[in-house]
Amino acid sequence: MTERPPHDLAQRMGILALNLQNEDDRDGTLRAIVQAALDLVAGADWAGISLIHVRHCRRLDPRLVAELDQLQSDLAKARA
């Protein structure tokens, strides 16, 4: 696998930033960010976003993220 030069990544991130401005709502923006992560990160098969509601949680507990990731993985296996 060949690595892309850093300027290529910067150009692709710039294009992504412009494209995100065309999204009409939060869900569309989040979907576009996740898709971009899959496109930009070599070898990535999965991507996701954790939303933190500051009113309810001042900091994210990494154990919670790990538990949610495991649940998602278990559900995907169960559906297969």
Side-chain angles (χ1 to χ4, degrees), residues 4-76:
R4 293 190 171 149
H7 66 276
D8 183 49
L9 177 59
Q11 182 180 25
R12 294 171 73 195
M13 293 295 288
I15 292 168
L16 171 61
L18 292 172
N19 290 339
L20 287 175
Q21 293 179 20
N22 295 325
E23 293 298 332
D24 293 333
D25 61 1
R26 181 186 69 175
D27 290 341
T29 300
L30 295 175
R31 276 192 295 278
I33 291 169
V34 169
Q35 185 59 53
L38 291 171
D39 295 341
L40 292 169
V41 178
D45 292 325
W46 300 91
I49 294 176
S50 296
L51 296 178
I52 302 170
H53 297 279
V54 177
R55 282 178 260 141
H56 305 292
C57 178
R58 292 284 177 215
R59 58 180 252 230
L60 184 62
D61 184 341
R63 293 171 297 178
L64 175 61
V65 173
E67 287 179 40
L68 292 173
D69 284 344
Q70 186 60 52
L71 284 171
Q72 186 174 5
S73 178
D74 292 347
L75 286 171

